[in-house]
Amino acid sequence: MQFQFADTEDFEPYTLSLPAGEPIPLVCDSPHSGAIYPQDFHSCLPISVLRSGEDTYVDELWRAIPLVGGSLVAANFPRSYIDPNREIDDIDLDMLAEPWTSRVHPTEKTRLGHGLIWKVARGQPMYDRKLEVAEVENRIATYHQPYHAELGRRIDQMHERFGGVWHLNLHSMPANSYEILEIESDHPLADFVLGDRDGVTCDPALVPVIEEFLVGRGYTVARNDPFKGVALIARLGRPDENRHSLQIEVNRKLYMNEETYEKSAGFAALQESLSLLSARVAEFVRERL
């Protein structure tokens, strides 16, 4: 998706790409590739900083998902406005101008300033004001909840039809992710990070299939380091019910300039690799049916 300011107050919160042919129970989502900025955002930061929260072009990188029989749900709104990979109680009360209407459960993401509503971007305060409860509630009702409803609906439909479903939660990660997360590491960030919350959200047979494919293409791969997966795969990944959810992070340095947000020379090669990977995952899913 190309970056744009919303020219109306209302726009669709997500784009749904359905299977081009016979469907398989593969449902993918890109919760952070949204690049339409709502008129009521009113952040004090320039757009060049706000865009650092985007998983820019991730939906485009994975465009082959529908071609192999899967579905792809992609957010249209930016995560810096409201993050669909957070629960609605992951809120920093210090950001609000008045008391919240229910209990909150802020996580480590909120401590880092990246909860449901972002407090900082690139270390800079997002707002020069306190947020009204009504505007946060509107963001939840207008964007967050419809996104979750559509993704959940697609997953439930596939599970009911096939008796099982495989979900890929698709992301990109900044090249300096360890620094952002305040993690000291003795090794560089991998090209890909596969997150299954340390083995609890996904069929363990799928992870090595993806890892071996990527390594065979010349990429480095890590598991759960430093990204294990957050709200979406924690909620959706229930292997005991034959509901499998895996997060895939790709290093932005492979395909884009993180300062200008322009595609780099590596974009086409990475897109081709992910198209071939999509076909391999589809083959795996068919084998499991």
Side-chain angles (χ1 to χ4, degrees), residues 78 143 157:
Y143 300 98
Q157 287 174 350

Side-chain angles (χ1 to χ4, degrees), residues 257-272:
N257 182 312
E258 293 189 65
E259 296 301 320
T260 66
Y261 305 101
E262 295 177 343
K263 297 174 184 176
S264 68
F267 183 89
L270 178 61
Q271 187 182 56
E272 179 184 13

Side-chain angles (χ1 to χ4, degrees), residues 1-14 33-45 47 50-51 54 75-84 117 126-127 129 135-136 138-140 142-144:
M1 175 185 296
Q2 297 295 323
F3 155 76
Q4 59 183 293
F5 289 108
D7 54 8
T8 66
E9 292 186 2
D10 299 316
F11 60 90
E12 291 298 322
Y14 59 83
S33 55
I36 304 177
Y37 283 71
Q39 292 183 340
D40 65 352
F41 198 159
H42 304 314
S43 171
C44 63
L45 291 179
I47 192 64
L50 292 179
R51 292 198 67 193
E54 294 177 16
N76 289 330
F77 57 93
R79 73 189 291 204
S80 53
Y81 178 75
I82 186 168
D83 193 335
I117 306 295
M126 290 277 295
Y127 302 96
R129 62 188 176 88
E135 64 182 306
V136 176
N138 178 66
R139 295 182 190 190
I140 293 172
T142 307
Y143 300 98
H144 188 281

